[in-house]
Amino acid sequence: MGRIIRGLAAGGNLRVIAADTTDVVEEARLRHGLSPTATAALGRALTGALLLAQLLLKTPKERLALRFEGDGPLGGMIVEAAPDGTVRGYVKNPQADLPIRSDGKLDVGGLVGRGVLQVDRTLPSGEVYSSRVELRSGEVAEDLAYYLFQSEQTPAALLLGVRLEAGGRVDRAGGVAVQVLPGAKEEEIARLERNLVGVSVSALLKEKGLEGAVEALLEGLGFEPTDLRALGYGEGGIPARFRCRCTREKALEALVFFTPDEREEMIVEDGGAEVVCHWCGARYHFQPEEIRSLVAEVRCPDCGTLWLYPKEDGTVARIEGETCRCGRKVELPPPPGPGQDGGH
């Protein structure tokens, strides 16, 4: 299982968040069947989301989503993380890949491309705050640091890395975020910059482990780890794990987006239906009796908000607007055609 640790350096002038996400990224690779470069891209995004969730979110019930809308062959990438160390994510074209760069590194920037990065923060109330910035390079760490500076007025150094074995398996993955607080001195910032030049965080993790890597990156700045046991975590820090919020019930509800005739066609032609979660790749198989039990009700697959539902007076209520309170685009099934009553 991955881990997240937190702490301070430079006498409290630098805030530090670090994560070992090797197991998290390897699970994502296996779940989605990712190519090597897609593994590196999604791995960096998953790690970055976990670090930003620690930096930006105020309460345990908040969530952070990163949407990379680039013009590269990856086709886009979405990840979602929470302060408890859970994260999930996917790419639109998991087998997209590019040749190794001339310096021997994976071409993540070329795979993601240029475009827009959207960051959504969902509050416990369901209210969503969104910010959009330019994707400057597609390299993920640089783009997230640019977002922090532009939208959050938070100057920070961000290192993200994914190291693969020859067969594609994730050898090491992780990242470090160092936020420069208002009291930081010029010589402390200069020392931090010198420490970070040319550093591979994945190589440091392999050589020194999580705590050792952080101490090396903050050499001369006096890293002081935060005791997270007061927050209910063990001595190792916050567990980091790939966890999706999909359920069999939510997957069945997704079939409401199909018309009654289309659902009956699934039963006749295939003997049932299969729903695949795009977040985690989980597959749910449904028998004819389960499909026929559906009622005319549509909920948001992410937060459960009712989008369409029958009222007691026989009318149908629909959500207002094109966006759910969690930020997801509202997608309603077409109205019943002639001869269809929309119910069961």
Side-chain angles (χ1 to χ4, degrees), residues 254-267:
L255 293 177
V256 178
F257 287 101
F258 295 90
T259 66
D261 281 353
E262 289 171 331
R263 294 198 294 270
E264 193 63 30
E265 187 176 333
M266 295 176 191
I267 294 171

Side-chain angles (χ1 to χ4, degrees), residues 260-325:
D261 281 353
E262 289 171 331
R263 294 198 294 270
E264 193 63 30
E265 187 176 333
M266 295 176 191
I267 294 171
V268 172
E269 294 187 0
D270 303 319
E274 179 182 78
V275 176
V276 181
C277 175
H278 58 265
W279 284 103
C280 69
R283 296 177 178 272
Y284 298 93
H285 299 272
F286 298 103
Q287 299 300 316
E289 58 270 21
E290 294 177 283
I291 299 172
R292 291 183 174 127
S293 72
L294 289 169
V295 297
E297 177 181 289
V298 181
R299 292 180 179 271
C300 174
D302 287 347
C303 71
T305 298
L306 275 170
W307 286 353
L308 179 149
Y309 55 96
K311 298 171 68 175
E312 292 183 0
D313 61 5
T315 62
V316 175
R318 293 172 176 260
I319 190 172
E320 295 183 2
E322 298 180 354
T323 304
C324 183
R325 66 182 187 179

Side-chain angles (χ1 to χ4, degrees), residues 236-254:
I238 302 171
R241 53 200 184 279
F242 190 107
R243 190 177 75 184
C244 189
R245 292 184 286 111
C246 71
T247 64
R248 184 175 179 82
E249 290 72 22
K250 290 180 179 179
L252 180 60
E253 289 176 0

Side-chain angles (χ1 to χ4, degrees), residues 113-144:
R114 302 294 182 88
V116 174
L117 166 64
Q118 178 172 317
V119 180
D120 298 328
R121 295 170 62 180
T122 303
L123 303 182
S125 65
E127 190 174 2
V128 179
Y129 288 92
S130 298
S131 300
R132 291 169 68 89
V133 297
E134 174 190 3
L135 274 177
R136 295 168 63 87
S137 68
E139 291 289 342
V140 182
E142 180 182 339
D143 293 316
L144 292 180

